[in-house]
Every structure is written in C-alpha cells, then in structure tokens.
Amino acid sequence: MIKKYILFTLISLTFISCQKKEPKIESKIDELEFIYLNSLRIPYNEVKINISRMPNNDSALVFIKSRPANNDPQWSYSKIENFTTIDLKTFKKLADAAISLDKIDIDKAYLDGNDGSTWEIQFGSKGKNKNYRFWAPNSNTQQRGLSEFVNLCEQIVEVSKLKKEEILKD
C-alpha cells in the first residue's frame, strides 16, 4: 500500500512538473491620453493630448488638440491642433507612471463638483484601457492621494510642449 502511495505521488509530481507554465503577461501600454475640461474658462476650455507608440517601436506620436469655449477671435490662440514626437524612453517613463495610478484609493480621492476642472487619464492597449477621472485634482491633492496623478498630468502637458501654467490653472 505504501509503495502504491509513493509511486502515485512520484507520478503526480512528475506530471505536474512537466506541465507547461503560462508565461506572465506584462501590462503593455501603447497609448496614453490626457483630457482636461474646465467649465469656467474660455481659453483652453478643452485640451486633449494623445500619445501613441509608433508601430516601429522607436518613438511615440503626441497629438495635441485644444479649443476655447467659444469661437470669439480673441481666444483663437487656444485653438490648437498639432503633433510632435517623443522618444521611446520618455513614453515608457509616462507609461510606468500611468501603471502606478492603480494604487489610488478611489474613495479617498473622490470629490464631486460642478464648476471647475476635470482631469482624465486613459491608458492601455488594443481596447483594454484603464481610465482615471477626477474633479479638481489640484484641490487637496496630498490628502486625496492624487500627487502621482497630478504629476503624470503635468508631465504629459510638458511633453506636448504646452505651458502647464496656462493649461492646468483654474
């Protein structure tokens, strides 16, 4: 009986060790997008910055789109449609920062309001995206645990070559 038990255990262990293990799938990010909306401002009322890894994997395309709340000519300077490129190292740095947003305590970070700004970051690959959207994240940033979120938003604006002082102010 003991011999059968030992034999069964050895066969089971051999079978288990021969099984093909699933490779660990890395969280891959091919695209980052930052969206800024402000209900109280006319210039830079809506700003979208989309950063996409290029297919050849050597750089990323940064598409910048901004629009004022109305079409009055005095705000035309904030109507922007432009693009630029960044190196892959910069893109990876932003992607790594985006992954760290998973640590945000949503209940602690949540704040609701009507007037003011809403900041949003969306990232992922092939339709598998994560989205973080907060109202007035620059209000009580430390207490709400949004320092990394605000920092990433600022980095994305800087990469776009827009002035964060003009864009992110309330």
Side-chain angles (χ1 to χ4, degrees):
M1 180 73 169
I2 294 177
K3 288 181 181 180
K4 286 182 182 178
Y5 178 75
I6 292 172
L7 182 62
F8 178 75
T9 304
L10 286 173
I11 292 171
S12 297
L13 288 173
T14 304
F15 180 75
I16 290 171
S17 67
C18 291
Q19 292 293 318
K20 186 176 183 181
K21 295 182 181 178
E22 292 292 320
K24 185 178 179 183
I25 299 172
E26 280 188 36
S27 177
K28 185 177 179 189
I29 296 179
D30 290 325
E31 184 174 21
L32 285 153
E33 184 171 53
F34 169 67
I35 301 171
Y36 174 88
L37 301 167
N38 192 317
S39 62
L40 298 175
R41 281 183 35 196
I42 296 176
Y44 304 109
N45 177 267
E46 181 179 344
V47 177
K48 291 183 181 182
I49 303 168
N50 181 288
I51 308 173
S52 300
R53 184 191 318 244
M54 298 295 281
N56 58 8
N57 242 1
D58 68 346
S59 62
L61 181 68
V62 181
F63 181 71
I64 304 113
K65 184 174 183 178
S66 170
R67 66 179 183 87
N70 64 44
N71 289 324
D72 190 316
Q74 70 176 327
W75 309 116
S76 64
Y77 68 90
S78 71
K79 186 174 184 176
I80 300 167
E81 281 195 33
N82 199 3
F83 69 90
T84 187
T85 58
I86 58 172
D87 59 57
L88 195 57
K89 182 179 177 183
T90 303
F91 179 82
K92 285 182 178 181
K93 179 180 161 193
L94 296 171
D96 289 345
I99 290 170
S100 74
L101 297 181
D102 287 340
K103 299 174 188 171
I104 294 175
D105 179 347
I106 301 297
D107 293 327
K108 185 178 172 184
Y110 179 77
L111 184 62
D112 195 17
N114 295 322
D115 291 332
S117 63
T118 301
W119 302 15
E120 179 177 353
I121 291 183
Q122 183 174 348
F123 60 94
S125 177
K126 299 178 185 168
K128 297 176 185 173
N129 295 336
K130 290 189 176 186
N131 188 326
Y132 292 91
R133 182 179 184 157
F134 298 103
W135 180 77
N138 53 350
S139 173
N140 298 319
T141 303
Q142 293 283 3
Q143 297 88 334
R144 293 169 64 193
L146 292 175
S147 297
E148 289 182 20
F149 177 82
V150 170
N151 187 38
L152 178 56
C153 293
E154 290 175 348
Q155 288 178 48
I156 292 171
V157 171
E158 287 173 0
V159 160
S160 75
K161 298 187 173 89
L162 294 175
K163 295 179 182 170
K164 70 178 181 182
E165 300 80 25
E166 290 181 2
I167 306 299
L168 301 177
K169 70 177 181 180
D170 281 333

